[in-house]
């Protein structure tokens, strides 16, 4: 479900509203992320793996199908479901910021229910702030930035930056190509002049 110029305006609005539901309801985001990860699953799989009651699992799956973010891939019983790819770019009203809503961001929002650090970060900085933190998390895991740089750039405490980076680390590794390199920048503790304190 990527936004393209040849789509009708109504389709784009519907895409946005569907994705907005995912970002507002962590349980739906968690289910979408699960289906994206598994490629295909039955409602029984959802019930077993996400520990959802049968009625809840059917309700959530049907809501995602109705929203157009999940497809029925096999009508034979048991039905199988798969997540549609989401890549939707949103620009703020002021036009000064642009955010791309992807499965990785939806996955991060879905973890809000089970990760207090993500929940607190969203409460303080919103989903847009979480999208920014996810970008820093990927860059940090690739050894391109430190938590101190993120804290300075976003005007937050180094502790808050480190906490959200740690919370988003599994999301970064699951959704992005990150090679396990040696020591990251945070571990080297490099001064501004480039000298290594270690």
């Amino acid at each position: 479900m990527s936004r393209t110029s040849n789509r009708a305006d109504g389709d784009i609005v519907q895409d946005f509203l569907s994705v907005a539901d995912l970002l507002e309801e962590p349980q739906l985001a968690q289910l979408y992320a699960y289906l994206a990860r598994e490629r295909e699953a039955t409602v029984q799989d959802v019930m077993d793996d996400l520990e959802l009651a049968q009625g809840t699992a059917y309700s959530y799956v049907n809501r995602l199908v109705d929203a157009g973010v999940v497809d029925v891939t096999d009508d034979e019983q048991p039905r199988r479901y798969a997540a549609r790819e989401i890549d939707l770019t949103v620009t703020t009203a002021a036009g000064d910021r642009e955010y791309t809503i992807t499965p990785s961001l939806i996955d991060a929002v879905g973890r809000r229910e089970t990760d207090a650090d993500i929940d607190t970060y969203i409460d303080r900085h919103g989903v847009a702030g979480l999208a920014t933190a996810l970008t820093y998390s990927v860059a940090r895991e690739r050894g391109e930035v430190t938590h101190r740089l993120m804290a300075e750039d976003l005007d937050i405490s180094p502790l808050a930056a480190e906490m959200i980076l740690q919370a988003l680390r599994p999301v970064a590794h699951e959704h992005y190509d990150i090679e396990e390199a040696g020591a990251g920048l945070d571990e080297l503790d490099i001064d501004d002049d480039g000298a290594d304190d270690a």
Side-chain angles (χ1 to χ4, degrees), residues 69 107 126 152 189:
V69 296
D107 186 4
E152 185 178 313
D189 197 20

Side-chain angles (χ1 to χ4, degrees), residues 46-63:
V46 169
M47 291 166 45
D48 294 343
D49 294 342
L50 298 182
E51 298 178 2
L52 294 175
Q54 182 177 10
T56 303
Y58 274 103
S59 173
Y60 287 175
V61 168
N62 288 333
R63 284 181 64 191

Side-chain angles (χ1 to χ4, degrees), residues 100-174:
T100 302
I101 301 168
T102 61
S104 60
L105 178 60
I106 295 167
D107 186 4
V109 170
R111 294 174 191 236
R112 180 178 196 172
E113 294 266 304
T114 57
D115 191 309
D117 292 330
I118 292 175
D119 186 50
T120 299
Y121 199 86
I122 292 173
D123 283 345
R124 291 183 181 160
H125 305 283
V127 173
L130 185 67
T132 301
L134 184 56
T135 301
Y136 275 94
S137 177
V138 173
R140 194 262 196 63
E141 293 305 309
R142 290 180 174 158
E144 300 166 357
V145 299
T146 66
H147 73 285
R148 290 182 189 101
L149 180 61
M150 176 187 172
E152 185 178 313
D153 287 352
L154 302 182
D155 196 26
I156 61 175
S157 75
L159 178 60
E162 181 62 28
M163 290 174 70
I164 193 61
L165 289 172
Q166 287 295 325
L168 292 174
R169 189 170 196 262
V171 177
H173 279 271
E174 188 166 315

Side-chain angles (χ1 to χ4, degrees), residues 31-53:
L31 175 55
Y32 173 85
Y34 169 80
L35 290 172
R37 226 179 1 259
E38 296 297 316
R39 306 279 188 229
E40 220 180 42
T42 65
V43 172
Q44 186 64 51
D45 296 331
V46 169
M47 291 166 45
D48 294 343
D49 294 342
L50 298 182
E51 298 178 2
L52 294 175

